[in-house]
């Protein structure tokens, strides 16, 4: 069978914060975090994954055990506050998905699935909007999960 799956809502990463000292007056940040000269720039970063969808083909045995292969796509929204005033562009990435599970379908075509799945995502990069020499590159990105799904066969 062929299918499409859409994940409503947003998946968020934790926020990461770091403080950089430019040391322009020879200063540094002491062990207790106080500035001994120069100026501090605080950077906070996080990402949100939005508009996740998967197009898939699925093969199922008479026992209800199935395997799915799919193409997935997701928008990655970069949410940062940088001490430099810069920011990074949002990006999109695609990936290949593999899933295994069990499906039980009633006479009306309503099904319940228990599934484990994994996706290997394409590499992504985002450029700083105020300094194009600053580029963030992410490679070897993977995701996985287990779920219970309810749907309808048409």
């Amino acid at each position: 069978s062929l299918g499409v799956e859409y994940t409503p809502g947003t998946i968020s990463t934790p926020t990461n914060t770091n403080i950089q000292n430019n040391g322009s007056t020879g200063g540094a940040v002491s062990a207790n975090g106080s500035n001994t000269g120069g100026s501090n720039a605080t950077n906070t970063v996080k990402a949100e994954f939005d508009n996740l969808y998967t197009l898939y083909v699925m093969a199922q045995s008479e026992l209800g055990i199935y395997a799915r292969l799919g193409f997935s796509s997701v928008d990655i929204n970069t949410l940062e506050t940088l001490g430099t005033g810069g920011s990074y562009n949002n990006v999109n990435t695609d990936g290949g998905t593999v899933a295994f599970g069990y499906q039980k379908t009633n006479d009306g075509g309503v099904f319940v699935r228990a599934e484990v799945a994994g996706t290997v995502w394409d590499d992504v990069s985002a450029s700083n909007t105020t300094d194009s020499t600053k580029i963030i590159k992410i490679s070897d990105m993977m995701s996985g999960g287990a779920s219970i799904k309810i749907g309808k066969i048409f």
Side-chain angles (χ1 to χ4, degrees):
S1 64
L2 300 174
V4 63
E5 184 175 276
Y6 177 75
T7 303
T10 301
I11 302 166
S12 298
T13 66
T15 299
N16 188 17
T17 302
N18 88 4
I19 299 172
Q20 297 286 321
N21 184 280
N22 72 8
S24 62
T25 60
V29 176
S30 68
N32 69 2
S34 64
N35 187 355
T36 63
S39 63
N40 288 339
T42 300
N43 302 307
T44 61
V45 296
K46 73 182 272 182
E48 290 182 344
F49 297 85
D50 197 22
N51 294 318
L52 170 60
Y53 71 87
T54 302
L55 303 172
Y56 63 86
V57 60
M58 184 173 93
Q60 182 176 352
S61 77
E62 291 180 11
L63 299 173
I65 298 168
Y66 68 87
R68 282 192 313 124
L69 294 175
F71 166 83
S72 296
S73 183
V74 68
D75 296 328
I76 304 171
N77 303 319
T78 65
L79 304 170
E80 62 279 320
T81 304
L82 304 178
T84 61
S87 63
Y88 288 86
N89 294 321
N90 296 335
V91 295
N92 177 278
T93 190
D94 302 321
T97 299
V98 176
F100 300 97
Y102 174 79
Q103 176 175 305
K104 179 70 176 167
T105 306
N106 72 14
D107 292 338
V110 175
F111 64 81
V112 176
R113 290 181 185 159
E115 177 180 282
V116 293
T119 304
V120 176
W121 298 98
D122 293 342
D123 297 348
V124 295
S125 63
S127 299
N128 189 293
T129 58
T130 58
D131 183 353
S132 62
T133 63
K134 295 179 181 176
I135 299 173
I136 294 174
K137 295 180 181 181
I138 300 172
S139 59
D140 302 322
M141 187 168 43
M142 296 181 269
S143 62
S147 60
I148 302 292
K149 301 176 181 187
I150 299 172
K152 171 84 170 127
I153 297 173
F154 298 98

